[in-house]
């Protein structure tokens, strides 16, 4: 897996200049509602788009076109996640709109929750665990509902619903997991995603792409990135996602809006970026995709920016095929001063890190970082979204042209606002002092951690000659995330942060350390069912680091495990010693990566990152349940209201924040759904 990036820690704002870290509120409309609703383990939030009003009309128009392009691909991610997802979503929506029976029953309420979860996950599998979630109503109830709704509103016949969709929805053994990473299984055959056609085995998939590997080309394309591999009459065939290929109906709409965007670009470089992307969507040519990425990296001047395409490969157990996503955004110029300071000092951080000099870059280049304001989320970034992104993913492009790293601050700000007064900190912090420190610094420290992780951590270090980068296999992604987190953690406690005015005083990093340890050893367990292991990469990485420093500091009492009123707490007693432990582990993790030491990676991950102490887990779940919170969040988008003059030209663009969750989902399904039910 690539050094890509989705960090899901909840962090803080900085609508403040980095040199004066005061907590000024951003310009948010009066009575803005951050919380929309809560169901199952999900909380739906809303994000404001501060700074939108100050943009020029032309910039707003550009954002509008790109935002439309971001919504048009929604069906693609449903189909990529599982081939029955569109049929199931459309069947459920038809029932929701047309069911004539009693809607005030427990069964119908459970039906609504199920539909909301399907919308949220872009399919029938949990967006995070990737396990299929069960409907909270019976198969028998579902059959009576189907019987009462007129067949004409369904996407497929009632026989197909009964024979094909009902087993997929209700039978726990069918399509059980979207992404199965269990190395003892055939991870392709047992994963329910739609990247690999019926009957394709892991061995076939691996050898197909092994054969395509070009070891001589210094600029190798990412074979398989934008297609499904299918078996046709016993032959393996790539079905490319492009105009006149698979997903053509949706991609045509995306291109329609991108071509509109071409009429209002800010400069020539941005023009070039969009032209390459349009060309790529028309041809499916992966060389064009690389040109697009390089042009995108070179575009440093534009205020408006966006991601739109087949980008991240987390949804494919082999990490080859990319899910469709879009994030439309513009630069937060004030907050970006902070990341500019970090980038400008990248070499200093590399030189002073505690790792073996052989594993350090002598010449750090191409690290660009900015703070952005999201203006529309789409595809795999909607409704659940990352708070930081680092692209592109192709190794050779990163090496030759660098990478772009962003922190999405209006999203972290919304998380922060929505958590206020939830009682969460009071429950899991040991002392009032810890709560106060978190309230005071958590925000700024969290954002800084994200910046450091994305823009320095992932970009730091180098492989020894002869090491390819894929030696760590299934443990590679966890090791890579640990490396980025450790780099950030180590430097948060460095006086350099104060010298650069990135943190206000010597207490701020303590809030970051408290938060990390509390989350890594306890609160992130709220996302896991009792008895299960930790599987998700970022969660594994956080527990790996937290448990390692806890156990290695036990004799020195660096972190003390305490009990108060029957409740467990992990309390940091020696912050500087803890920082040294972060440094030690960073050195070891970098060694593992640089040498490609698979055995060491495996031992580290299996020993520290996977297993959970059952009694502690049970306690954390019980304490959390009393708070009545949801461990996962996602967002509804703003609605773009366009005003036109008599000649039909756009005369104004306003954002409306009043749309509800189901309302938005149904509108998208009605106005932006183009794909056939099966693709
Ligand atoms: Zn990362």
């Amino acid at each position: 897996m690539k050094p890509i990036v989705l960090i899901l820690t909840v962090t803080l704002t900085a609508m403040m200049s980095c040199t004066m870290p005061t907590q000024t509120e951003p310009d948010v409309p009066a009575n803005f509602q951050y919380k929309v609703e809560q169901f199952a383990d999900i909380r739906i939030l809303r994000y404001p788009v501060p700074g939108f009003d100050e943009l020029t009309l032309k910039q707003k128009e550009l954002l509008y076109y790109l935002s439309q392009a971001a919504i048009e691909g929604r069906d693609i991610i449903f189909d990529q996640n599982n081939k029955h997802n569109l049929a199931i979503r459309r069947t459920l929506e038809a029932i929701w709109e047309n069911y004539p029976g009693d809607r005030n029953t427990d069964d119908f309420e459970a039906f609504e929750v199920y539909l909301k979860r399907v919308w949220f996950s872009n399919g029938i599998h949990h967006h995070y665990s990737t396990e299929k979630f069960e409907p909270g109503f019976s198969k028998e109830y579902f059959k009576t509902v189907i019987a009462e709704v007129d067949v004409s509103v369904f996407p497929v016949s009632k026989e197909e619903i009964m024979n094909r969709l009902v087993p997929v929805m209700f039978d726990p053994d069918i399509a059980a997991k979207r992404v199965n990473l269990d190395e003892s299984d055939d991870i392709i055959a047992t994963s329910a995603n739609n990247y690999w056609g019926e009957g394709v085995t892991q061995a076939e998939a691996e050898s197909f792409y092994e054969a395509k590997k070009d070891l001589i080309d210094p600029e190798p394309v990412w074979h398989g990135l934008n297609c499904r591999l299918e078996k046709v009459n016993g032959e393996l065939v790539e079905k490319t996602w492009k105009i006149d290929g698979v997903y053509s109906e949706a991609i045509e709409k995306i291109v329609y809006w991108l071509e509109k965007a071409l009429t209002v670009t800010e400069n020539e470089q941005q023009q070039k970026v969009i032209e390459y992307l349009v060309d790529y969507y028309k041809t499916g040519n992966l060389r064009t995709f690389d040109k697009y990425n390089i042009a995108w990296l070179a575009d440093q001047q534009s205020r408006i920016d966006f991601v739109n395409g087949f980008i991240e490969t987390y949804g494919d157990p082999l990490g080859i095929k990319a899910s469709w996503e879009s994030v439309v955004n513009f630069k937060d110029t004030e907050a970006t001063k902070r990341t500019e300071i970090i980038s400008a000092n990248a070499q200093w951080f590399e030189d002073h890190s505690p790792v073996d000099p052989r594993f350090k870059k002598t010449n750090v280049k191409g690290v660009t970082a900015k703070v952005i304001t999201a203006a529309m989320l789409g595809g795999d970034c909607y409704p659940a979204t990352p708070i930081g992104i680092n692209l592109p993913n192709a190794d050779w492009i990163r090496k030759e042209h660098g990478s772009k790293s962003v922190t999405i601050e209006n999203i972290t700000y919304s998380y922060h606002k929505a958590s206020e007064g939830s009682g969460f900190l009071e429950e899991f912090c040991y002392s009032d002092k810890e709560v106060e420190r978190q309230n005071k610094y958590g925000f700024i420290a969290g954002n800084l951690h994200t910046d450091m992780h994305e823009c320095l951590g992932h970009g730091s270090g180098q492989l020894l000659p002869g090491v390819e980068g894929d030696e760590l296999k299934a443990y590679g992604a966890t090791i890579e995330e640990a490396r980025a987190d450790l780099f950030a953690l180590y430097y948060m406690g460095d006086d350099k942060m104060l010298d650069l005015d990135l943190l206000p005083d010597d207490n701020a990093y303590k809030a970051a350390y408290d938060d990390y340890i509390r989350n890594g050893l306890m609160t992130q367990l709220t996302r896991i069912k009792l008895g299960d292991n930790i599987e998700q990469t970022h969660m594994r990485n956080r527990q790996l680091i937290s448990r390692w420093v806890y156990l290695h500091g036990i004799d020195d009492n660096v972190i003390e495990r305490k009990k108060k009123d029957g409740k467990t707490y992990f309390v940091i007693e020696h912050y500087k010693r803890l920082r040294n432990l972060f440094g030690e582990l960073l050195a070891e993790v970098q060694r593992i990566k640089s040498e490609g030491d698979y055995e060491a990676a495996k031992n580290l991950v299996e020993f520290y990152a996977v297993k959970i102490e059952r009694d502690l887990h049970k306690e954390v779940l019980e304490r959390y349940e009393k708070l009545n919170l949801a461990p996962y969040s996602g967002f509804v988008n703003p609605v773009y209201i366009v005003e036109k003059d008599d000649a039909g030209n756009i005369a104004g663009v306003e954002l409306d924040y009043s749309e509800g969750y189901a309302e938005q989902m149904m509108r998208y399904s009605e106005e932006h759904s183009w794909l056939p039910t099966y693709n």
Side-chain angles (χ1 to χ4, degrees), residues 352-377:
H352 290 80
S353 92
V355 316
D356 188 318
R358 292 181 300 143
F359 310 143
K360 289 186 192 181
K361 278 197 174 101
T362 46
N363 188 11
V364 180
K365 64 172 177 180
V367 184
T368 67
K370 59 182 177 178
V371 178
I372 60 169
T373 303
M376 188 61 95
L377 308 170

Side-chain angles (χ1 to χ4, degrees), residues 3-7 314 453-454 458 480-481 484-485 538 541:
I4 319 144
V5 182
L6 302 161
I7 344 177
Y314 296 102
H453 171 113
E454 299 292 347
H458 280 304
E480 176 57 26
E481 291 309 321
D485 262 359
H538 296 84
N541 129 55

Side-chain angles (χ1 to χ4, degrees), residues 88-124:
I88 291 172
R89 188 192 85 200
R90 287 171 179 165
T91 299
L92 301 176
E93 286 172 347
I95 293 168
W96 197 64
E97 280 201 306
N98 299 288
Y99 178 58
D102 188 354
R103 289 170 173 255
N104 294 314
T105 63
D106 288 350
D107 278 333
F108 197 80
E109 242 170 63
F111 168 81
E112 283 184 323
V113 168
Y114 183 70
L115 173 55
K116 286 177 179 179
R117 297 185 76 181
V118 168
W119 282 331
F120 190 86
S121 298
N122 295 306
I124 56 175

Side-chain angles (χ1 to χ4, degrees), residues 414-545:
S414 298
Y415 278 128
H416 172 75
K417 294 298 283 185
S419 313
E420 276 178 355
S422 69
F424 185 77
L425 286 178
E426 289 74 7
E427 178 60 42
F428 291 101
C429 291
Y430 182 70
S431 63
D432 292 345
K433 193 174 157 199
E434 193 180 324
V435 175
E436 277 163 31
R437 192 159 54 208
Q438 186 63 31
N439 282 331
K440 185 170 178 190
Y441 302 107
F443 214 28
I444 184 169
N447 276 334
L448 189 61
H449 179 96
T450 306
D451 299 336
M452 299 285 292
H453 171 113
E454 299 292 347
C455 130
L456 297 182
H458 280 304
S460 70
Q462 65 177 6
L463 305 179
L464 286 186
V467 177
E468 295 262 331
D470 55 4
E471 287 81 359
L472 306 182
K473 297 181 191 165
Y475 301 107
T478 300
I479 292 295
E480 176 57 26
E481 291 309 321
R483 209 172 65 86
D485 262 359
L486 285 163
F487 203 93
L489 288 164
Y490 178 75
Y491 278 116
M492 296 285 284
D494 196 305
D495 289 343
K496 187 78 174 175
M497 292 290 136
L498 304 179
D499 297 345
L500 294 174
D501 279 333
L502 291 168
L503 289 176
D505 59 48
D506 201 27
N507 275 316
Y509 83 95
K510 294 180 181 168
Y513 284 14
D514 291 339
D515 185 56
Y516 200 89
I517 297 300
R518 196 169 54 234
N519 189 34
L521 290 176
M522 290 203 299
T523 55
Q524 71 165 358
L525 300 179
T526 58
R527 295 178 160 200
I528 296 189
K529 271 190 297 198
L530 192 62
D532 284 2
N533 286 334
I534 300 180
E535 294 199 31
Q536 205 274 343
T537 301
H538 296 84
M539 292 182 69
R540 281 188 168 188
N541 129 55
R542 285 182 221 123
Q543 179 168 300
L544 191 167
I545 293 173

